[in-house]
Structure formats: structure tokens, C-alpha cells
Amino acid sequence: MKKHRLYAVLAAMSVALALVLAGCQQPSSGGSDSSGSGASSGSSETGNGGNSGEGGSSGIGNGSTGGSGSSSGTGSSGETVPEGFLKVTCTTITGKSNTNNYAGVFIEGRTVTLSDFYMSQYEVTQDEYSAVMTGQKVTVSETEYTLNANPSYCTEGNSSYAVNFGSEQGKRPVEGVTWYDAVYYCNARSEKESLTPAYEIAVTAVSSNGNITEATVTLVDGANGYRLPTEAEWEYAARGGDPSAAAWDYTFSGADSASGTSYSSPSNSGLDAVGWYCYNNDTGTTGSSNVTNNESGKGTHQVGQKAPNALGIYDMSGNVWEWCYDWYGSTVSTGSETDPLGSSSGSYRVRRGGSWSYDAFRASVCLRSYDATSNLLGFRLVRSAQ
């Protein structure tokens, strides 16, 4: 089927997270933020929607029942879980209508069966990205391009978004990557580790700063290499992997809304335990106003500084938006599906999870959004369980 394209530090409640990186406006090009905390231009959010025309099966893996995560090492069935990953044991999800938030992709009238997969506990870091992408070259129309191995805007060299207190620069999530950069990284890392790449990629355009802007991407059925999560995989993991648990209906990945706070509220102290967003990005605790670009303490934070969700996965709400595999569509189809991949074409790819620069509700597990590229966008990896 053809498609166009890391040590955990729990935030103890008694520790003052005086971290110095925040801001509620998008730092540079790739879209503007009209409210200082909203969506960039060329991006959008919907609470209850999905990919129109979604259907079929992916060939991504083999289904199983359950709803749990297991840590790196040897699983109970004897398989080896990749280092830095957790096994997400999947099941069939019967969609429903939520009352405290939106339903995301698991809407009423839809039944989704997902195959087991491994998901990285952390968003891909700047160090990880650079280690794989340094020296990567592609040729387009007989012109050779060196790809950008350090695309991030939030760096020590950028005084406005320099490394914050308690963080190490290289352990901040990579951002400023296009969707095509992300899938290229997946393949390059797979090849480096002698895995079968998950994509066939033909690059057709590269920007002047070394980001891939156009390519033809085809998913390789049955490959064991790294790939981006599908939107359904992302949301299943973000909700904690157990549709029968209370955490499934939490607003955020691993935490619910603060008492008396509505789902759509821009400020929500319930997010403080698990995520970085524009009202807590300078200190880690929700304040009375958002942090703007005129204040210190804005930008990304080292991965894993907040608490994980029920599966042991970090930063699925806030820090950076995360790319998913799917093309974006404004509606979700009903009916029964196995390992849905999304629609066959579109103008934008799905992003999920919100970021340090956005309001709380955009970090919810159910809010769907899209973008072309942005300095607020990163990604995490999955592999199909074998």
C-alpha cells in the first residue's frame, strides 16, 4: 500500500521544578500562533474526528488480546523487547462517546483491533537524531544534498530557547523535523541496527537547510524496523493501553483534569504531573498566566522529567507534538477495522500530544491535529512485535 508521506526522572511532587524553558508562541517559521498558545497556521485541531476514507488492514503485525506494557528485556513469551522500548499488548477497542472530553479515533460506532507493538518510552532526542543522521546524503535530480542532522530550534546556540535548568541539551527531544525527515530517520536507524526498514522512500525534494520536504513513501509489510506509530497506536498507548481502566478516560496521558477544570480550559494543573505546556513551562507548575516569548524559561525540556503514564511511557502529553504515520482527515469512519493506517492520501500528516508552547487541552489524548512541518514537532518510534 502506497503512502505519501529516552533515564527517566520522575517529577517528585516535593521538588520544585525550577526549569527555565517555556513560551506560548511558536518560535519560528512553519506556522504562526495567533493567540500565543494556539495552533500554527497550516495546522488544525479537532477533538472528535479522524481520517475520512479510513479502512482496511495494515499488515503491520499480528493481533493479540490484553492491554499492558512490559519493560525492556525479555518478555514473558521469551521475545526480546528492544532497549528503551516497552511492549504494548493490544486488544480490540469498542469505541464510545465520552462525556468529559472527545473520543479521539475510538469513536462510538467504531471497533478497532490493534496488533501488539513496541513503543519507545521517550521521544527521540537530539543526541539520538544526530547520531543517526550525521553524514546522511540523498541525491535528487543528480544533485546531492547533505541532510540536516541538527534541525532543532531549542539549542544552546539559541539564547531564546537555550537549555533549561535540570536538563541536558542532547536529551531534549529533537524538533524542527518534517514528517519525511522522521520516516527517513526510522529507516536509517533500522539499517544501522541491521533491521528491515519499514519504508521504501524515494526523496524528491530537499530544502536549503537540509530537511526533506517531498518524497514517495511506501510501507513495507512485515518489516521489523523502526517506524512512526499509526494514529490509533499512538492514542491507544497514550490512553494507557487498557480500555477498561479509569485512566483510559483521563484527559491527559497519565493524568486527569484538575477538579473543576473543563476539558477545553487553556490552563489545567492536572497536566503538571505528566507534561510541559505553556502555563507550566518555566517552573513545572501551572501559573496564572502563560509564558510568552518575551520571558525566559521557554522551549523543550529533557525527556522523561515528568511522570509516565500507566504503560511507563513519558511525555505523550506536552513537550513536543509527535508525528504519526497517517494522513489527516477531519472525520473518523465507523465500522470494524484492524490496524488502520488512515486514508490513502491527503495534504497534511497527523500530529498528536500538544507541546510546551500550547494550551493544556491540546495536550489531551483525544485531540487530533495536523501540520506540514513545525519547530514544535518531534516524534517517537515504534516497532511491530514479532
Side-chain angles (χ1 to χ4, degrees), residues 331-345:
T331 60
V332 170
S333 61
T334 56
S336 297
E337 299 178 81
T338 298
D339 296 324
L341 291 172
S343 57
S344 59
S345 63

Side-chain angles (χ1 to χ4, degrees), residues 273-339:
V274 296
W276 301 102
Y277 78 115
C278 70
Y279 280 84
N280 75 3
N281 203 44
D282 53 346
T283 66
T285 301
T286 294
S288 59
S289 63
N290 60 37
V291 180
T292 73
N293 279 349
N294 295 322
E295 301 177 53
S296 63
K298 54 191 176 292
T300 59
H301 291 259
Q302 178 175 319
V303 300
Q305 290 191 315
K306 293 287 190 175
N309 72 1
L311 288 172
I313 302 173
Y314 297 80
D315 296 311
M316 295 197 78
S317 286
N319 212 4
V320 291
W321 289 98
E322 299 181 13
W323 284 120
C324 293
Y325 178 77
D326 311 41
W327 288 108
Y328 179 83
S330 60
T331 60
V332 170
S333 61
T334 56
S336 297
E337 299 178 81
T338 298
D339 296 324

Side-chain angles (χ1 to χ4, degrees), residues 73-135:
T74 302
S76 58
S77 61
E79 87 276 29
T80 299
V81 179
E83 183 179 356
F85 285 65
L86 293 172
K87 184 176 182 180
V88 181
T89 304
C90 296
T91 187
T92 295
I93 307 97
T94 301
K96 63 180 181 179
S97 178
N98 288 9
T99 58
N100 61 328
N101 55 33
Y102 294 102
V105 298
F106 302 118
I107 64 170
E108 189 172 19
R110 188 187 197 204
T111 300
V112 177
T113 300
L114 293 176
S115 300
D116 296 354
F117 58 95
Y118 307 118
M119 175 173 273
S120 55
Q121 289 183 269
Y122 310 100
E123 294 159 333
V124 174
T125 67
Q126 295 181 21
D127 276 352
E128 289 178 317
Y129 192 82
S130 178
V132 170
M133 297 297 285
T134 297

